[in-house]
Amino acid sequence: MNTAAPASKALPRELPVLAVLGLSDPADGDWSRLRGLQYATLRRTTLARIAVHEVAALAAAMLVWEKIALTAIGAWLVLIAVTQWHGYRVDRSLADADRRRISRDEVKAQLVGSIGNGLAWALPLGGLGLFIDPQTQVKVWTVLAMLMAASVILIPAVPVATLTFSAIVGGSAVAHFLLTASYDMAAISLLFMGIVVIGAIEGARRYMGAKIAEAGMVERDEVVSLLLREFEEGQADWLWQIDTGRRVRSVSPRFAYALDRESAEAEGVPLVQLIAGPAWETGQFPTSLHDLAERLKRREHFSNLLVRVTIRGQARWWELSGTPRINEHGVFEGFRGVGSDVTEARENSDKIAWLARYDTLTGLPNRMMVTETLGTALQQADKWRTRCAFLMIDLDRFKAVNDTLGHHVGDQLLARVSERLKEQMSENELCGRLGGDEFAIVVRDASDLRHVEQVARRVIQRLSQPYEIDHNTLFVGASIGSAVGPRDGSSVETLMRNADLALYRSKDMGGNTHCTYEPALHAHAEERRKLEFALRRALEQDEFHVVYQPVVDATSESVVSFEALLRWNNAEHGAVSPAKFVPLAEDTRLIVPIGEWVLREACREATNWPTHVRVAVNVSGEQLLDQHFVSSVVTALSASGLPASRLEIEVTESIFLRDASLARAALEQIMALGCAVALDDFGTGYSSLGYLRKLRFSTIKVDRSFVQGAATGNAESLAIIRAVVAMADSLGMSTTAEGAETEQQVQVIRQLGCRKIQGYFFGRPMSAKDAGALFRSQAYLSKQNVA
């Protein structure tokens, strides 16, 4: 860094005229060094200037050949030659002035040479002009004017030399024309001198500005090189550089370490050869390596390019960035860039991708992978005129196990069920977990329908056998509904829906049985129709009410928000479970008006709470994609007077599967209003890592299955929660752990870094009145004071 210190001083902010002429040295900048940059250019144009002067001297001699004695002309030519020889010697001594400090004596010597040269050229008009006719005088002046213009062009960096020469030569011409009463020529000469003066000064300014900029670029390059070296020494990344032949040059120790070679061993070897491994001989390069080679060949800039390399027979992943190196003449000199070994991060990324497609509790494919497999099976069945099948499985009596023995036992039971399911699968089948206690099987080739029946029978028989868990003998059954494609449905959605209808029939028959889809099963739709009819009238008859579940700060345990939850009591159907009527409302788009009512009600009630407490409202995909959704939020806020910052909209990952662009646009508008947006049920079925990067969610809600898994020491659940918390912290988001029911779960959540907690441990969903009373209770006030 010390080498750069003088350079920074040598860059003045301004270029005053006197400083450019060399008559002053301002305090701002190292002008001695700049003088060197000026005078070093004289050597480059010396021969050209000598040639110009010799040609001009011969031209002037020819013009006065018959009018002036030959001895006088010869003596003048010798004088011109002497002044040029002196100038050549001075210029040669200044050739290295750009690499050192130029002295005042050297500047004075150059100035003396310019004066001598000017006096020599003043003789043709100033001394001999009276002996030649006016026409010849004008011709001689033309030669002198050419010399003054050539001086401006050939030595723009040293204007004092040009001005000295022009002042003497031009001044002698003006004086001569005044003496001979050629006032017009005197005026022309004077005007031309003024143009020369302005041109010399401005040309010098531009030249010096360019030199200063060039010096600055060189200095910046030096600083950048030093910084890059320091960066490489202090970071895990390393620098790489190749020449025009794509051979590695200037191998740094860290780059050599990444190559597992000595620096000298890698020097001069083609980069691709060093990282291709056996592929260099076979030519069978990985796609990423081929892409790198093409970019180097096309001399394209690239950034964060992921490349699969082979180092000493070991496969690794590198992330490379590179920029073509172009010198000051525009010539390509190779590439320079930064690289890092991202093998571990790549493996972690593969792990995350696996988690996005597999269920963490059971290790089975999740809903997304099951639906993808079913879609592929349907395509193959349509292509080859065969059949495929979809079996939907629901565990009988699982809810009772979960409620009586707890989620810990329930999770173990699900894991055991998954193991038994995998035992029954062949290469023709894929089983997965759809969520909760729902599983599914995709039979890729169901040409023989008896095979579907056999699979269902084996599964029911195996899953019905007793389970020994925590000294408890458990008995659950399995209800199965199946549909055959494309006979019972040509799309994934239709086939799954019809299999679900068959499953309902199996459950209605008492469970532990298998039912196939039949068109007659649509009689079930009659009940659904009645429920839908009642649902349509529910708003008019004021059958809905909202309950509120508290969300507390993980540290202080003070209430920071409530989640608004919808409940429905109908005269005919009684208390209808949200799990039953919410999907129906979404299917019929009744969720839009119902959701608007919930939004208005929640905002109105929240105005009765302390100003720091938010209200969270769940929003389905149907609501979010409705064109009036944003306006309904604005209406609810304005009607209640609730500040937008106190409203939090909760969405699930599945909203991005229908129309990601519309969903993202709607959420961005909501955020623009000042509302917060939370991502609910994160990680339970779909990967939203891309949307976490694109959208500024306020909160990520960790699903209860991970919370319960972490409390039991499940490594996968612990890793996922840690990853979510770390990711949320890095993105400036908060985390809420759902489903905390025991003190142990709460302690684990706190240790993992979740900022907020929601669950029965802190409060079940309660009425608006009870929620308000919570703030007025003495216990709450005491807790707030402690916090």
Side-chain angles (χ1 to χ4, degrees):
M1 297 298 293
N2 294 336
T3 58
S8 61
K9 184 183 175 184
L11 301 177
R13 294 187 180 92
E14 298 179 357
L15 295 173
V17 173
L18 293 179
V20 171
L21 295 177
L23 302 179
S24 69
D25 289 337
D28 178 22
D30 188 351
W31 282 91
S32 179
R33 180 169 178 264
L34 290 179
R35 296 280 176 260
L37 292 175
Q38 283 182 281
Y39 283 86
T41 59
L42 293 172
R43 180 68 180 87
R44 302 171 194 168
T45 59
T46 298
L47 295 180
R49 285 186 284 116
I50 291 175
V52 169
H53 278 267
E54 295 303 325
V55 170
L58 292 175
M62 292 178 64
L63 289 173
V64 299
W65 183 266
E66 298 178 352
K67 303 174 180 62
I68 303 297
L70 294 179
T71 55
I73 295 175
W76 177 73
L77 290 175
V78 170
L79 179 62
I80 291 295
V82 170
T83 59
Q84 293 303 308
W85 171 249
H86 176 268
Y88 172 77
R89 293 183 61 190
V90 172
D91 291 351
R92 188 174 61 179
S93 69
L94 295 172
D96 62 343
D98 57 341
R99 297 188 296 274
R100 59 181 176 84
R101 298 292 191 271
I102 188 171
S103 66
R104 278 289 177 186
D105 291 339
E106 290 176 312
V107 173
K108 188 181 296 184
Q110 203 282 332
L111 182 61
V112 169
S114 298
I115 293 173
N117 194 30
L119 291 173
W121 277 103
L123 289 175
L125 276 183
L128 305 176
L130 296 175
F131 303 103
I132 55 180
D133 58 89
Q135 184 177 5
T136 303
Q137 292 174 13
V138 172
K139 293 179 180 180
V140 171
W141 179 85
T142 302
V143 173
L144 299 179
M146 177 196 71
L147 282 176
M148 288 186 283
S151 181
V152 173
I153 295 172
L154 293 176
I155 49 174
V158 190
V160 68
T162 299
L163 296 182
T164 302
F165 176 80
S166 299
I168 296 173
V169 174
S172 67
V174 171
H176 171 76
F177 287 130
L178 288 175
L179 289 174
T180 57
S182 300
Y183 300 116
D184 53 348
M185 286 301 300
I188 291 174
S189 299
L190 194 62
L191 178 61
F192 184 78
M193 285 178 62
I195 295 173
V196 169
V197 169
I198 294 173
I201 294 174
E202 289 304 313
R205 271 182 167 169
R206 286 194 298 270
Y207 180 85
M208 291 183 68
K211 278 295 180 182
I212 290 172
E214 181 181 336
M217 290 180 64
V218 172
E219 291 158 6
R220 282 194 295 272
D221 286 343
E222 293 174 355
V223 173
V224 167
S225 296
L226 288 172
L227 290 176
L228 287 175
R229 287 296 178 186
E230 291 178 2
F231 162 79
E232 185 183 36
E233 291 171 3
Q235 301 292 330
D237 296 358
W238 28 260
L239 306 175
W240 60 272
Q241 181 174 318
I242 59 174
D243 58 19
T244 55
R246 290 169 240 159
R247 294 179 292 270
V248 174
R249 298 298 181 191
S250 303
V251 180
S252 66
R254 194 175 293 277
F255 185 29
Y257 177 79
L259 292 169
D260 195 16
R261 297 170 181 261
E262 295 294 332
S263 297
E265 183 184 357
E267 187 74 24
V269 180
L271 174 63
V272 176
Q273 180 180 349
L274 287 172
I275 61 179
W280 177 258
E281 301 296 335
T282 63
Q284 301 297 318
F285 297 137
T287 304
S288 58
L289 193 57
H290 180 75
D291 186 24
L292 171 65
E294 285 298 312
R295 289 172 186 263
L296 295 177
K297 181 180 179 181
R298 294 194 297 265
R299 301 178 181 178
E300 294 178 353
H301 166 82
F302 55 90
S303 179
N304 301 325
L305 183 66
L306 199 60
V307 181
R308 187 175 186 273
V309 303
T310 302
I311 305 299
R312 300 295 190 187
Q314 183 181 6
R316 309 287 296 174
W317 286 95
W318 284 4
E319 190 174 77
L320 299 176
S321 298
T323 302
R325 292 190 298 122
I326 309 297
N327 65 17
E328 63 273 15
H329 303 297
V331 178
F332 173 73
E333 293 185 338
F335 268 85
R336 175 183 292 161
V338 179
S340 60
D341 191 316
V342 295
T343 305
E344 184 177 351
R346 171 74 181 193
E347 291 173 351
N348 291 337
S349 176
D350 291 342
K351 181 66 173 178
I352 292 175
W354 183 91
L355 293 174
R357 301 173 66 83
Y358 287 86
D359 179 65
T360 55
L361 176 63
T362 63
L364 293 177
N366 62 14
R367 178 182 291 270
M368 182 172 69
M369 188 169 180
V370 168
T371 54
E372 288 178 355
T373 304
L374 181 57
T376 303
L378 277 171
Q379 292 175 1
Q380 292 298 313
D382 181 65
K383 179 179 179 180
W384 301 107
R385 299 294 187 269
T386 58
R387 288 179 291 203
C388 65
F390 182 73
L391 288 74
M392 189 171 287
I393 306 168
D394 187 85
L395 300 182
D396 302 328
R397 299 178 297 279
F398 175 78
K399 187 176 184 300
V401 173
N402 222 25
D403 292 343
T404 56
L405 299 178
H407 294 289
H408 170 65
V409 174
D411 289 346
Q412 291 187 66
L413 178 58
L414 290 175
R416 298 283 186 86
V417 167
S418 302
E419 292 172 1
R420 294 186 181 185
L421 274 175
K422 286 187 282 189
E423 293 172 2
Q424 305 302 315
M425 298 299 104
S426 67
E427 293 184 359
N428 188 36
E429 296 93 35
L430 176 135
C431 65
R433 184 187 178 204
L434 300 181
D437 62 339
E438 285 191 345
F439 297 84
I441 297 175
V442 177
V443 181
R444 297 181 178 89
D445 183 4
S447 301
D448 184 358
L449 294 181
R450 290 176 299 178
H451 177 68
V452 178
E453 181 64 34
Q454 291 169 0
V455 170
R457 189 166 55 249
R458 290 201 312 267
V459 167
I460 292 173
Q461 181 181 1
R462 186 71 179 98
L463 297 187
S464 299
Q465 295 174 4
Y467 300 83
E468 294 292 335
I469 299 176
D470 285 356
H471 309 293
N472 296 300
T473 302
L474 307 178
F475 293 88
V476 295
S479 298
I480 300 178
S482 64
V484 176
R487 184 193 70 186
D488 299 332
S490 58
S491 67
V492 170
E493 294 78 10
T494 303
L495 205 60
M496 293 181 71
R497 184 171 64 247
N498 289 341
D500 197 30
L501 286 175
L503 175 61
Y504 276 120
R505 181 183 179 187
S506 178
K507 299 289 283 187
D508 290 342
M509 293 174 62
N512 212 38
T513 187
H514 167 228
C515 290
T516 59
Y517 169 76
E518 298 174 1
L521 289 178
H522 284 283
H524 167 72
E526 178 62 21
E527 179 187 355
R528 184 177 182 276
R529 186 192 64 79
K530 290 180 180 180
L531 195 63
E532 179 184 338
F533 179 74
L535 190 61
R536 291 185 183 278
R537 301 174 59 191
L539 270 180
E540 300 173 6
Q541 298 184 0
D542 197 23
E543 295 178 351
F544 289 122
H545 68 280
V546 180
V547 295
Y548 303 88
Q549 185 174 26
V551 178
V552 303
D553 182 272
T555 303
S556 65
E557 296 188 2
S558 60
V559 176
V560 294
S561 66
F562 281 96
E563 181 177 2
L565 302 170
L566 181 63
R567 296 294 184 261
W568 179 27
N569 284 312
N570 177 261
E572 180 181 355
H573 299 280
V576 185
S577 169
K580 191 171 185 179
F581 74 79
V582 170
L584 178 60
E586 290 179 342
D587 289 343
T588 58
R589 287 190 54 80
L590 289 172
I591 195 67
V592 175
I594 293 174
E596 291 178 358
W597 178 84
V598 173
L599 197 59
R600 293 193 300 270
E601 188 70 12
C603 290
R604 182 186 62 78
E605 185 59 36
T607 58
N608 299 320
W609 305 336
T611 56
H612 70 279
V613 179
R614 280 180 175 173
V615 62
V617 180
N618 289 281
V619 173
S620 71
E622 290 291 339
Q623 288 178 264
L624 191 65
L625 298 180
D626 183 76
Q627 59 180 338
H628 303 297
F629 173 67
V630 177
S631 61
S632 69
V633 174
V634 174
T635 301
L637 290 172
S638 59
S640 64
L642 184 73
S645 60
R646 293 186 58 197
L647 174 62
E648 186 171 59
I649 300 297
E650 287 193 10
V651 297
T652 61
E653 300 172 290
S654 60
I655 63 168
F656 299 107
L657 295 181
R658 290 185 53 186
D659 194 324
S661 59
L662 281 179
R664 179 182 174 188
L667 291 177
E668 287 175 343
Q669 293 181 63
I670 294 299
M671 293 176 182
L673 294 175
C675 300
V677 178
L679 186 60
D680 199 6
D681 297 337
F682 179 75
T684 55
Y686 305 99
S687 173
S688 295
L689 298 179
Y691 300 106
L692 290 178
R693 179 173 55 84
K694 298 175 184 176
L695 290 170
R696 299 296 299 175
F697 290 102
S698 62
T699 303
I700 299 176
K701 302 191 74 173
V702 180
D703 187 69
R704 63 183 302 152
S705 62
F706 299 132
V707 171
Q708 292 157 3
T712 62
N714 181 273
E716 296 290 354
S717 297
L718 288 168
I720 289 173
I721 295 179
R722 287 195 187 99
V724 171
V725 170
M727 178 173 57
D729 288 344
S730 67
L731 295 174
M733 303 175 187
S734 181
T735 47
T736 299
E738 297 182 297
E741 299 179 356
T742 66
E743 185 174 357
Q744 179 191 6
Q745 292 174 355
V746 171
Q747 291 301 325
V748 171
I749 290 168
R750 285 176 176 152
Q751 292 170 5
L752 292 175
C754 288
R755 299 184 187 178
K756 295 179 287 186
I757 308 175
Q758 178 180 356
Y760 286 176
F761 184 79
F762 292 103
R764 292 175 177 270
M766 60 188 71
S767 66
K769 181 180 178 180
D770 291 339
L774 184 63
F775 297 109
R776 294 189 293 271
S777 68
Q778 184 63 39
Y780 177 78
L781 292 175
S782 299
K783 188 178 291 184
Q784 286 290 80
N785 291 333
V786 173

